[in-house]
Amino acid sequence: MTEANSFSLDVASHPDNVGLARLAVAALAAGAPFGVPDLEEIRVAVSEAVTNAVQHGYGGRRDGRVRIEATLSQDRLKVVVSDQGRGIEDVALARQAAAGEGERLGLGILFMETFMDHVVVESHPGQGTRVVMEKRVPVAALAADGD
Amino acid sequence: MFYRVEPHLLTVGLEQDLDLATAPAVRAALDTLLDRYPDRDVRLDLDAVSFLDSTGLGVVLGRYRRLAASGRTLHLVGVRPAVAAVLTVAGVRQIMTWDPAVLNDGRKRGGVADDGGQLV
Ligand SMILES: Nc1ncnc2c1ncn2[C@@H]1O[C@H](COP(=O)(O)OP(=O)(O)OP(=O)(O)O)[C@@H](O)[C@H]1O
Ligand SMILES: [Mg+2]
């Protein structure tokens, strides 16, 4: 049986750290019997949350801090991505898929919601944003793993 | 990135994951090729792209819009399951065609259904 495991990463709001966060969370998640498509979905969700922190939270500035906390327990993966950037005025509005600026599609939060089982976005304008995402380990895999 | 020019077709292959870190350079390189070879439809080979998120998709759809504005088409080939999942959720199939990645022996890479768009 999978033992609880976790990490906390504090990274600069640099575009290269989007891939780093993806890699770290996927490596942790690989400790549970997630399927390959599950791991791909986790990668996308983490990428979206960290990208938003860098792009929107800090407006592309690279000197902000983004924290990625990931916890793998017996039945689920929990990922918390937080920044101390500009925050979101209206979270409900932000969650509605609508074209963003330039080539942004307004799909990031939709991807998080589609690919994870549970997504909470908390934000205080001027203080920052915190995204909490959870994905359950497939029940069939848990049963097969139960020794 | 590699590309091949034929009389009516420009094929461009991307060879890196598409996210916030890589999007600016990929966007610029694609636009340079699109401008250098006008009047050609474009085939974008994603066989070596194992990851794409909404930022990467923005680059692809942005190129689609540029091409469509001048009556050119964009067709995606070599779409891996992970990339197909993102395209499917985004509803890209309604505007663009794509073909799944195939293994050397002609079989599709794991996880892609026959319509090429859906994870199984
Ligand atoms: N960490 C954040 N800090 C500040 N604003 C945010 C943050 N995350 C999201 N937002 C706001 O929520 C909106 C929706 O985010 P979402 O990721 O769904 O779309 P997008 O980033 O605009 O486009 P895409 O993700 O398709 O590139 C953003 O445009 C932005 O205004
Ligand atoms: Mg986004």
Side-chain angles (χ1 to χ4, degrees):
Chain A
M1 181 45 58
T2 316
E3 270 180 51
N5 191 8
S6 64
F7 70 76
S8 173
L9 256 182
D10 174 74
V11 303
S13 54
H14 190 293
D16 287 354
N17 290 334
V18 174
L20 178 71
R22 243 183 0 242
L23 198 71
V25 175
L28 179 74
F34 282 114
V36 172
D38 295 322
L39 294 174
E40 301 289 4
E41 293 178 354
I42 290 164
R43 269 192 261 273
V44 175
V46 171
S47 204
E48 299 299 347
V50 178
T51 296
N52 280 352
V54 173
Q55 281 299 91
H56 304 302
Y58 296 112
R61 268 179 33 228
R62 297 181 174 191
D63 58 353
R65 305 304 301 182
V66 181
R67 179 174 287 277
I68 302 108
E69 296 161 83
T71 308
L72 182 66
S73 53
Q74 189 185 318
D75 65 338
R76 69 191 59 220
L77 172 76
K78 179 178 175 184
V79 184
V80 181
V81 176
S82 47
D83 65 69
Q84 285 133 28
R86 78 161 77 106
I88 305 173
E89 288 290 344
D90 185 340
V91 172
L93 190 68
R95 287 179 90 133
Q96 292 169 11
E101 309 149 30
E103 287 185 350
R104 300 231 146 258
L105 301 166
L107 289 176
I109 296 177
L110 175 74
F111 283 167
M112 294 181 221
E113 290 171 342
T114 304
F115 293 144
M116 304 295 274
D117 294 312
H118 189 65
V119 177
V120 177
V121 181
E122 300 164 353
S123 192
H124 297 285
Q127 290 174 44
T129 301
R130 185 166 180 268
V131 177
V132 182
M133 307 185 280
E134 290 188 2
K135 193 173 183 75
R136 285 188 297 276
V137 175
V139 175
L142 269 182
D145 198 38
D147 48 73
Chain B
M1 186 179 296
F2 65 86
Y3 66 97
R4 186 170 66 243
V5 185
E6 292 164 78
H8 301 288
L9 185 69
L10 169 66
T11 301
V12 186
L14 301 185
E15 295 177 300
Q16 63 275 88
D17 293 352
L18 262 182
D19 69 359
L20 186 66
T22 59
V26 170
R27 179 186 295 115
L30 281 173
D31 282 346
T32 300
L33 285 172
L34 264 46
D35 292 342
R36 190 188 301 161
Y37 301 102
D39 306 325
R40 285 176 178 79
D41 289 332
V42 176
R43 179 162 58 195
L44 193 60
D45 188 339
L46 300 178
D47 194 61
V49 175
S50 54
F51 181 85
L52 171 150
D53 59 13
S54 70
T55 306
L57 187 57
V59 172
V60 174
L61 290 179
R63 309 298 62 70
Y64 163 81
R65 288 201 196 98
R66 284 199 63 201
L67 290 163
S70 54
R72 301 159 76 187
T73 63
L74 178 63
H75 178 65
L76 308 180
V77 299
V79 175
R80 290 163 175 256
V83 174
V86 168
L87 298 181
T88 300
V89 172
V92 169
R93 185 168 284 290
Q94 286 158 24
I95 60 165
M96 224 191 284
T97 53
W98 81 74
D99 296 331
V102 286
L103 299 171
N104 286 338
D105 62 2
R107 283 181 299 129
K108 293 187 183 97
R109 283 190 197 271
V112 180
D114 276 344
D115 72 349
Q118 197 77 46
L119 283 173
V120 291

